[in-house]
């Protein structure tokens, strides 16, 4: 029971990480490293390139938790690349 509560709290904290994120900035950083909308779509689970574009321009300010998690992981990976 204690383990389930700890797992729930960890999930809630992780979810809160994504709440209020500036996805335009996150996608912008990824794009500055030469990643295409198609590559972002394929890696992060977006429905289409247009969906990525809508999030990148702020037309759609929220994303599913799973998509946001993949975006943050992708940003971490591309930040480690040499320019």
């Amino acid at each position: 029971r204690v383990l389930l509560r700890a797992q729930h709290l960890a999930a809630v904290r992780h979810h809160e990480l994504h709440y209020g994120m500036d996805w335009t900035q996150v996608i912008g950083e990824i794009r500055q490293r030469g990643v295409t909308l198609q590559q972002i779509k394929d890696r992060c689970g977006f429905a289409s390139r247009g969906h990525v574009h809508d999030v990148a321009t702020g037309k759609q300010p929220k994303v599913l938790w799973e998509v946001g998690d993949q975006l943050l992981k992708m940003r971490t990976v591309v930040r480690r690349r040499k320019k």
Side-chain angles (χ1 to χ4, degrees):
R1 193 168 222 179
V2 172
L3 179 60
L4 290 176
R5 175 126 173 94
Q7 289 172 334
H8 173 73
L9 288 175
V12 168
R13 282 191 205 109
H14 197 72
H15 174 72
E16 289 172 354
L17 248 175
H18 296 338
Y19 182 76
M21 289 290 301
D22 183 358
W23 299 113
T24 60
Q25 181 181 356
V26 173
I27 293 175
E29 284 183 43
I30 294 169
R31 298 273 293 141
Q32 285 177 351
R33 297 295 180 130
V35 180
T36 66
L37 292 176
Q38 184 67 43
Q39 290 169 320
I40 295 170
K41 174 206 168 288
D42 292 342
R43 169 77 190 274
C44 299
F46 282 94
S48 66
R49 286 191 322 258
H51 185 204
V52 179
H53 181 266
D54 288 348
V55 174
T57 60
K59 186 175 179 181
Q60 181 178 335
K62 297 179 183 178
V63 297
L64 292 174
W65 180 86
E66 294 83 359
V67 173
D69 192 51
Q70 290 302 312
L71 278 170
L72 294 175
K73 288 177 181 177
M74 186 177 219
R75 181 177 66 174
T76 299
V77 168
V78 299
R79 279 181 169 174
R80 292 180 181 156
R81 290 184 191 165
K82 292 184 180 181
K83 287 187 179 183

